[in-house]
Amino acid sequence: MNKQTAQDRISKLKDLINDYRYHYHVLNQSIMSEEAADSLKHELFQLESQFPELITPDSPTQRVAGGILPGFTKYRHKTRMLSLSDVFSEAEVKNWQDRILKLSNTNKPISYFVDIKMDGLACALIYQDGLLKTAVTRGDGQVGEEVTSNVKTIESIPLRLRSTPKYKQFLIGTTEVRGEIVMYKKDFEELNQQRQKDHKPLFANPRNTAAGTIRQLDPRLVSTRKLYFRAYDLIRDEASQVPTNQYAYEALSSLGFIVNQASLTCDNLNQIIDYIKLWEVDRLKLPFNTDGLVIKLNDRALFNSLGVAGKAPRGAIAYKYAAEETTTKVKDIFISIGRTGAATPVAMLEPVVIAGSTVQMATLHNEGEIKRKDIRIGDTVIVRKAGDIIPEVVEPLKRLRNGSEKPFKMPLNCPECGTRLAKLKLEDAVWRCPNQQCPSRTYKRIQHFASKSALDIEGLGEKNVIALIEADLVSDPADLFLLKASDIIKLDRFAEISARKLIQAINQKKTPPLNRFIYGLGIRHIGEQTALDLARYFKSLDQLSRATIDQLAQIEGIGEIVAEAVVEWFSEKANQQLLSKFKRLIVEPESITEVNTPLKDKKFVITGTLESMSRDEAADRIRHLGGVFQNSVAKDTDYLVVGQNVGSSKLKKASQLKTSLISEEELIKMLT
C-alpha cells in the first residue's frame, strides 16, 4: 500500500471510529459491535505503525499516551472556574430569585436553566481550531493542573470537535468546554470488586476515585479505569456566540459531548420547585452520584452582567438536598478497643450505600447511647451519613420488630485481652480497658504515633504495624527506633527495598516537631490543635511532663478535664518508662518556632471539601502560620471556609454567630 492510499484509508477509519465513539458514549447507541470497533482500531494502529508520519493528535490511537509523566504543571485559567453558593430550602431559592429580579432591573421575562449537579472532578478542555489542546483541573479556580495526557484516555471526550453546519463557528479559534469527570456507580462497584479479589485496599467513593485517577502520573493506569466527561459549559472569547445555557447544551451535544438530558429551561419559580421535587427521589436512579441541582439564569448576557459576589456568581446557585438517609439491619454489635482503651460499641450493618459509599459499620458511641435510643441486635434502623461524617444510627424502627431482636449487653471484660473493663471516673460515659499491653491498644497506639498527623512515618500502615507486633519486634512506639532492616526483611510483607525504606523513614523522625510528638503520644483529649498549644507554651517535653493542673489551665482552650488527662498520663509509670526509652534512643522532639503572621490566633473552621488540598493539609498550613484550626463553629471562630459539597449545620451556626464566610480561594491567599 502506498502512502496516498494509506492516508485515504486512515482518514475513513478515523471518521468511522469517531462516529462509533459519538453514538456509543454520547447517544448511548451502538452502530456496530465492540469487537468490530476494536478490529477497526487495530487496523488503524497497524497502518499508522507503517506510516508514522500520518499520525495526527486527534487519531483514536493517541488516546493512550506514552510513558510515565514527570509531574503536573500549573495552568492559569483564562476565565475563573467559580464555585456556587449553596441553598438548602425552597425559601432560599425564592430569596435568590427575588434578588435576581431586583438586580436585573428589566421588564423582560426571565428564564432559568436547571440541571443535575454532578459529584465529580471539575475540568476544563481547551480546543484550538477544533483540536483538543489542553485539559486543566479546577484547582483553586484561577490556577489548575494540566492533565491533558490523562484526559485523552477518556473515550467520551472528543479529541476533535464534531463538525456540524449549525455550530461550525466553534471549530475556529479557541473553544473551552467545562464539565465534570465522573466514575459511574456500577463501574466503581466493579472496580472495588476486582480490587477485593486482588487483595487490594478498596476505594472510598466514585468522586475521590475519579479525582485520584486523573492525578496519576501514568496515563496507562488512567486508561484502565472507566471515566466519563459530562459537559455543562461552553466558553468563547466572543460571549455573544453562546447566548443561552440551553443553546450551550445543544451545541455541546452536537460537538460530541455527553450532556445531562435531564436539564430543563424554567420560566418561573413553580417550575423550578417542581424540578427540585422530581429529582429528590429520581436522582438515586442516575448512573453517577449527585449532591444537588444547579439553578442559573438561562440568558448568558444577563448572567454576566450581574457579576460575582465573593467566590460565586450572582446568577447561579446550587440547591443541596438533605443528608441522605436509608434503612438497613443491625446484624450484630461488637466492641472496638481504641488506643486510649475506650470500649466503643459498633453496629455491624447489612451493607448499604449512603452518600455514594458502601457502609457496613456505624459507631454507637457508648452504652448509654444504645440504651437511650433502644437499639437492638436485629433491628431495622435508619442510618445517616452526610459528607465526610462517620455513619450514625439515627433510630430503630420499633414497629418493624418481630420479637427476635436482642438487647445489647455491655461485656464485663475486654474482648481483646480479657481484662475487666472499668470506668476511670464516675462521670465517664465510656467503659475502658485499663490494660496498657492490650493488643488492640498497642497496635492502635503505634499506628497513631506513626500516622500522618503525628510523626508521619511512611510505610507504617495498620497491616505493617500488626505484622511487626505479631513478630514480637515492637510492643510500644519507642521500639520502632530499635528496628533493623535485617529483622524486618524476614517478614512476609517486606522485601529488601521496602525494609530499608521503612528503617530510613523511621530514622528521619528522630527529631520530630514537639507538637507532632505530643499528639503522637495519644494522650486522651489531646488533638492536633491542643498539642500545638502545649508545645508553644511549654517549649519542651520535659517542661510539659512537670506541668501542674493549674499551669495547664492557664492555656486558652484547656479546661480541667484536659489538664487532668495530661497530668495523669505523665504520672503513669508505664508512660514514664516509655519516655525514658525514647531518651535512650536519642529521640529528641524539637521545640517549635513562634510565628507572628496575620493569621496568628485567628480561628478557622472548614465546611465541605477543598479542591486544592485536603482538610488535614489546610489545618497544618493554618497552624504553621499561627492560626487555630477548629472542628466546629463557635463564638470565637473568625472564619468559616466554605468548600464544595457543604452541609447546612455549620453554615446555619455561622449565620447565627455572624462568623465571616470565606472561599477556598480567599483561604489560599491568606496562606501564601
Side-chain angles (χ1 to χ4, degrees):
M1 184 181 292
N2 61 37
K3 184 176 178 180
Q4 184 59 52
T5 305
Q7 189 170 13
D8 292 341
R9 180 67 176 177
I10 285 173
S11 178
K12 290 178 180 178
L13 284 169
K14 288 197 298 186
D15 287 344
L16 185 53
I17 293 168
N18 285 331
D19 202 40
Y20 165 81
R21 182 210 65 83
Y22 175 71
H23 280 82
Y24 186 85
H25 292 286
V26 178
L27 302 181
N28 200 26
Q29 300 171 354
S30 184
I31 60 174
M32 70 178 78
S33 68
E34 287 188 47
E35 291 82 359
D38 288 340
S39 178
L40 295 177
K41 291 175 187 175
H42 180 69
E43 182 185 349
L44 177 61
F45 176 80
Q46 296 281 57
L47 283 172
E48 288 182 342
S49 298
Q50 188 177 350
F51 299 95
E53 65 274 20
L54 298 180
I55 299 174
T56 58
D58 63 330
S59 173
T61 63
Q62 301 305 296
R63 286 197 177 276
V64 180
I68 295 175
L69 305 172
F72 297 114
T73 57
K74 300 295 183 183
Y75 189 100
R76 181 168 289 277
H77 295 288
K78 193 172 182 180
T79 304
R80 283 175 61 193
M81 291 188 76
L82 298 167
S83 51
L84 301 178
S85 297
D86 295 331
V87 299
F88 300 90
S89 67
E90 294 174 10
E92 287 180 287
V93 176
K94 185 180 185 306
N95 290 339
W96 170 76
Q97 187 203 39
D98 290 342
R99 290 195 300 272
I100 292 297
L101 294 173
K102 184 177 180 181
L103 290 169
S104 62
N105 194 25
T106 178
N107 295 323
K108 296 180 181 179
I110 294 178
S111 66
Y112 305 88
F113 192 77
V114 290
D115 191 18
I116 307 295
K117 188 176 185 298
M118 295 165 285
D119 192 16
L121 175 72
C123 186
L125 308 178
I126 300 163
Y127 289 81
Q128 188 63 41
D129 295 328
L131 184 67
L132 178 60
K133 181 182 178 184
T134 311
V136 192
T137 63
R138 179 184 181 277
D140 64 3
Q142 290 185 321
V143 177
E145 289 181 321
E146 195 257 304
V147 290
T148 313
S149 294
N150 287 346
V151 162
K152 276 187 172 183
T153 69
I154 301 175
E155 287 282 348
S156 58
I157 292 176
L159 300 181
R160 180 179 290 278
L161 299 177
R162 282 175 60 83
S163 177
T164 57
K166 186 176 180 181
Y167 304 106
K168 61 183 180 181
Q169 68 270 30
F170 297 110
L171 275 67
I172 302 170
T174 303
T175 298
E176 183 171 343
V177 177
R178 292 179 176 179
E180 296 274 327
I181 295 173
V182 299
M183 177 173 281
Y184 288 175
K185 290 182 278 192
K186 67 177 181 61
D187 296 325
F188 173 77
E189 290 168 4
E190 289 173 5
L191 177 61
N192 260 350
Q193 287 170 6
Q194 186 58 52
R195 290 182 69 84
Q196 190 169 29
K197 289 178 183 177
D198 296 338
H199 304 290
K200 293 180 179 179
L202 301 185
F203 290 126
N205 55 62
R207 195 267 175 202
N208 289 354
T209 306
T213 299
I214 289 299
R215 297 201 76 257
Q216 293 289 326
L217 293 176
D218 189 352
R220 291 167 297 188
L221 185 149
V222 182
S223 69
T224 64
R225 297 189 184 159
K226 293 181 181 178
L227 298 175
Y228 292 85
F229 179 87
R230 301 181 71 96
Y232 61 72
D233 202 7
L234 181 63
I235 299 174
R236 293 279 288 181
D237 290 339
E238 180 55 55
S240 61
Q241 291 184 356
V242 189
T244 66
N245 283 303
Q246 182 179 1
Y247 176 92
Y249 271 45
E250 293 168 355
L252 285 166
S253 182
S254 292
L255 292 170
F257 295 94
I258 303 173
V259 295
N260 290 337
Q261 298 300 319
S263 59
L264 184 70
T265 301
C266 298
D267 295 323
N268 54 57
L269 181 64
N270 289 336
Q271 291 178 359
I272 295 174
I273 300 304
D274 288 343
Y275 188 90
I276 290 172
K277 291 177 179 177
L278 170 68
W279 286 103
E280 187 166 11
V281 176
D282 285 1
R283 63 194 170 97
L284 301 177
K285 303 173 187 175
L286 292 167
F288 53 86
N289 285 330
T290 171
D291 52 3
L293 307 174
V294 174
I295 307 168
K296 52 189 173 184
L297 292 172
N298 191 33
D299 187 316
R300 305 263 290 222
L302 179 57
F303 178 97
N304 292 330
S305 70
L306 296 182
V308 176
K311 70 182 181 73
R314 291 188 176 91
I317 52 172
Y319 179 91
K320 295 295 184 71
Y321 288 106
E324 189 176 330
E325 293 185 349
T326 190
T327 59
T328 186
K329 276 198 169 186
V330 177
K331 294 162 60 178
D332 200 359
I333 298 175
F334 67 93
I335 296 298
S336 173
I337 304 297
R339 59 183 170 78
T340 63
T344 304
V346 178
M348 184 182 294
L349 308 171
E350 289 185 354
V352 62
V353 176
I354 310 175
S357 58
T358 301
V359 172
Q360 299 185 67
M361 289 182 286
T363 180
L364 297 173
H365 302 293
N366 54 58
E367 182 186 26
E369 182 80 353
I370 295 175
K371 288 180 178 178
R372 184 179 68 80
K373 292 182 176 179
D374 188 19
I375 299 169
R376 303 180 184 182
I377 298 169
D379 265 339
T380 298
V381 294
I382 296 174
V383 185
R384 174 172 58 206
K385 180 173 178 280
D388 54 4
I389 298 173
I390 296 171
E392 95 175 291
V393 175
V394 180
E395 63 175 328
L397 298 175
K398 298 178 182 179
R399 291 172 61 183
L400 295 180
R401 286 177 178 167
N402 59 18
S404 65
E405 296 79 15
K406 300 176 183 177
F408 170 74
K409 290 185 179 180
M410 193 74 185
L412 298 175
N413 299 320
C414 171
E416 297 289 340
C417 67
T419 304
R420 194 169 185 84
L421 298 176
K423 288 189 176 180
L424 303 184
K425 295 180 181 178
L426 291 176
E427 67 273 15
D428 196 346
V430 180
W431 289 94
R432 298 180 186 276
C433 173
N435 178 15
Q436 291 273 10
Q437 304 307 315
C438 174
S440 183
R441 291 190 65 177
T442 298
Y443 98 76
K444 288 179 181 176
R445 187 164 59 242
I446 295 173
Q447 188 182 358
H448 174 76
F449 182 78
S451 67
K452 190 172 183 65
S453 298
L455 267 68
D456 192 16
I457 301 176
E458 189 174 351
L460 264 185
E462 178 181 349
K463 291 182 179 178
N464 282 350
V465 170
I466 291 174
L468 293 173
I469 292 173
E470 289 178 345
D472 292 326
L473 292 176
V474 297
S475 61
D476 61 45
D479 283 342
L480 294 172
F481 297 93
L482 287 169
L483 289 172
K484 298 177 183 177
S486 57
D487 296 327
I488 301 175
I489 202 170
K490 298 173 185 177
L491 305 181
D492 291 339
R493 294 187 60 80
F494 293 92
E496 184 178 349
I497 293 176
S498 58
R500 283 205 312 269
K501 281 186 176 180
L502 178 57
I503 297 302
Q504 184 180 8
I506 292 171
N507 288 334
Q508 287 174 347
K509 304 297 181 178
K510 296 194 79 169
T511 55
L514 179 57
N515 60 303
R516 285 179 170 268
F517 189 82
I518 294 170
Y519 176 70
L521 292 176
I523 304 170
R524 285 180 62 202
H525 308 303
I526 302 300
E528 295 171 66
Q529 185 63 53
T530 306
L532 183 60
D533 294 338
L534 292 171
R536 284 176 175 160
Y537 189 89
F538 289 102
K539 310 299 183 185
S540 73
L541 196 64
D542 284 340
Q543 289 186 45
L544 176 60
S545 67
R546 297 192 296 268
T548 64
I549 290 178
D550 288 341
Q551 287 175 317
L552 288 160
Q554 293 177 25
I555 304 173
E556 184 182 357
I558 293 183
E560 184 180 351
I561 292 175
V562 177
E564 287 180 355
V566 173
V567 171
E568 180 184 347
W569 192 93
F570 282 101
S571 66
E572 290 183 6
K573 187 175 180 180
N575 295 331
Q576 292 172 356
Q577 291 172 342
L578 176 66
L579 296 178
S580 296
K581 188 187 287 190
F582 276 124
K583 282 187 177 180
R584 290 198 305 273
L585 295 170
I586 318 177
V587 178
E588 300 173 337
E590 291 184 337
S591 59
I592 58 175
T593 306
E594 276 294 327
V595 292
N596 189 13
T597 71
L599 264 66
K600 185 171 173 57
D601 298 329
K602 295 293 183 183
K603 297 177 175 64
F604 293 78
V605 175
I606 294 175
T607 182
T609 56
L610 303 181
E611 284 282 336
S612 59
M613 68 188 95
S614 69
R615 188 182 296 249
D616 288 341
E617 289 170 336
D620 277 345
R621 291 177 66 177
I622 288 168
R623 295 185 186 112
H624 179 72
L625 293 174
V628 177
F629 182 78
Q630 300 174 320
N631 288 316
S632 57
V633 179
K635 289 182 179 179
D636 61 349
T637 302
D638 295 291
Y639 301 103
L640 175 63
V641 183
V642 182
Q644 293 187 328
N645 307 328
V646 301
S648 60
S649 58
K650 288 179 180 177
L651 286 174
K652 287 179 180 177
K653 190 76 177 286
S655 176
Q656 293 169 358
L657 298 174
K658 296 186 165 74
T659 306
S660 297
L661 304 184
I662 62 173
S663 66
E664 179 179 354
E665 181 182 356
E666 290 169 313
L667 173 64
I668 291 170
K669 287 180 181 178
M670 290 182 173
L671 297 176
T672 54

